[in-house]
Amino acid sequence: MTTPGIAAQTRFDVGAVRIDRMVESEEPLLDPLEIFPQATAADLEAHRAWLDPRHFDAARRLLVIPIQGFLVRVRGKRIVVDTCAGDCKQRKRPFFHDQRRDWIARLRALGVAPEDVDFVVCTHFHVDHVGWNTRLEDGRWVPTFPNARYLFARAEWEYWQSTDGAQALARTSDYLADSVLPVVEAGLADFVAMDHALCPEIQLIPAAGHTPGFVCVDVRSAGERLVLAGDLLHAPLQFSFPEWPMRFCADPVASARTRVRLLSEWAASGTLIMPAHFPSPSAGFVERLGGAFGFRYV
Ligand SMILES: [Zn+2]
């Protein structure tokens, strides 16, 4: 789904780096009162003028949420950032259950085969960011990108191995068993620091809170910059309410603190950001607006 009249830009050039959005789905998906425990119906009403219809399907009372990953190309390297929900996966949330969306076709349409991918980065281990790490082959889950190094923040891996992580997985069912463990078992995973630099143009930004190992991806080249902000925010409503955690934040207090700190920094520096779940074209500039923030889409 694209909102009528809004150009869905999919390609962003940042100096010598090319970034392409690869959208798996973009539909009214999540109830804002479900995902933002602190939100009230009155909050929504107060912001309806700019929410409708791009961000909010008023009839179904659902936020429009894309699930997407990104292809980043620089220095002849091909890097996939986040791998969406995946196909054929058994999931508790009906929307993600047993999908057939063939997201890999988006990659091929950009002239890249799964075998050509050099690196895969998962900003964190939630279900909509790790799905296409693996694909089904003869009843087994095998790495989708057989020649890639999969870069996982060590802190993220360790969290999901812990008691807290196990409890979080009990809620959703253990999707890491089919989407992360096969990659580790195949020897394709590298556990990296949260500020790991892939190359001079691309570096991870530690952003613990949503999950303990959550990272954003900083892209800089030739004086230009774009930050793939992942799930630092889930909807532009959080510019007005930056303290709102979303329901699945592992540490709601740290999530709010990190969000306010990074948004303040990006507003001051005029940085272009692209959160994972903002409606197309997803990218824009953060602005200071009184004690909160605003957003200007590209
Ligand atoms: Zn997400």
Side-chain angles (χ1 to χ4, degrees):
M1 170 185 158
T2 50
T3 309
I6 294 173
Q9 182 181 352
T10 57
R11 174 178 171 171
F12 296 82
D13 290 291
V14 181
V17 185
R18 174 175 173 177
I19 302 172
D20 289 274
R21 301 173 54 225
M22 299 188 290
V23 177
E24 183 182 58
S25 60
E26 182 167 3
E27 297 175 28
L29 178 60
L30 296 174
D31 178 348
L33 300 183
E34 178 208 345
I35 66 163
F36 299 124
Q38 296 177 22
T40 66
D43 292 330
L44 286 183
E45 282 311 311
H47 291 272
R48 282 284 292 280
W50 65 268
L51 284 175
D52 294 1
R54 184 186 217 175
H55 305 92
F56 187 60
D57 182 319
R60 296 165 63 188
R61 306 205 64 77
L62 295 174
L63 291 168
V64 176
I65 300 274
I67 307 297
Q68 65 184 324
F70 305 91
L71 176 65
V72 179
R73 283 178 275 193
V74 61
R75 296 173 183 260
K77 297 293 183 197
R78 305 167 187 91
I79 303 154
V80 170
V81 177
D82 283 341
T83 59
C84 303
D87 276 4
C88 307
K89 304 223 151 157
Q90 309 300 298
R91 298 292 183 248
K92 276 196 179 167
R93 191 178 277 275
F95 186 83
F96 294 138
H97 177 68
D98 208 19
Q99 287 188 156
R100 297 291 193 281
R101 295 184 187 271
D102 194 16
W103 180 69
I104 291 303
R106 320 276 190 285
L107 182 71
R108 291 190 188 278
L110 293 166
V112 175
E115 295 76 21
D116 301 333
V117 172
D118 300 286
F119 294 100
V120 176
V121 174
C122 292
T123 58
H124 62 302
F125 282 179
H126 277 159
V127 69
D128 52 320
H129 297 263
V130 298
W132 270 107
N133 281 355
T134 58
R135 62 183 176 84
L136 201 53
E137 184 183 82
D138 300 330
R140 286 191 323 127
W141 294 105
V142 300
T144 305
F145 308 101
N147 300 315
R149 299 307 301 174
Y150 286 68
L151 307 183
F152 301 143
R154 178 170 294 282
E156 187 71 0
W157 168 255
E158 288 174 351
Y159 166 71
W160 291 100
Q161 302 297 308
S162 73
T163 313
D164 286 348
Q167 278 169 2
L169 281 179
R171 185 191 74 232
T172 55
S173 82
D174 185 3
Y175 55 85
L176 298 182
D178 60 50
S179 295
V180 171
L181 288 186
V183 172
V184 176
E185 285 165 4
L188 300 185
D190 289 331
F191 299 106
V192 299
M194 288 174 71
D195 61 354
H196 178 73
L198 277 80
C199 60
E201 294 84 0
I202 300 175
Q203 180 163 15
L204 307 183
I205 301 174
H210 182 53
T211 63
F214 170 58
V215 294
C216 303
V217 179
D218 202 355
V219 179
R220 297 179 193 238
S221 175
E224 297 185 301
R225 186 181 185 196
L226 185 155
V227 175
L228 297 171
D231 285 16
L232 187 75
L233 313 90
H234 286 76
L237 256 179
Q238 284 171 293
F239 288 117
S240 303
F241 302 96
E243 73 283 5
W244 280 0
M246 73 95 68
R247 179 172 296 280
F248 307 124
C249 284
D251 184 339
V253 174
S255 153
R257 198 189 316 124
T258 299
R259 185 165 37 259
V260 170
R261 177 174 57 79
L262 288 174
L263 291 181
S264 302
E265 182 191 317
W266 296 335
S269 56
T271 300
L272 178 62
I273 71 167
M274 188 145 54
H277 297 304
F278 281 21
S280 291
S282 306
F285 295 93
V286 187
E287 295 169 331
R288 265 284 173 199
L289 220 58
F293 300 93
F295 192 62
R296 188 162 41 84
Y297 275 98
V298 292

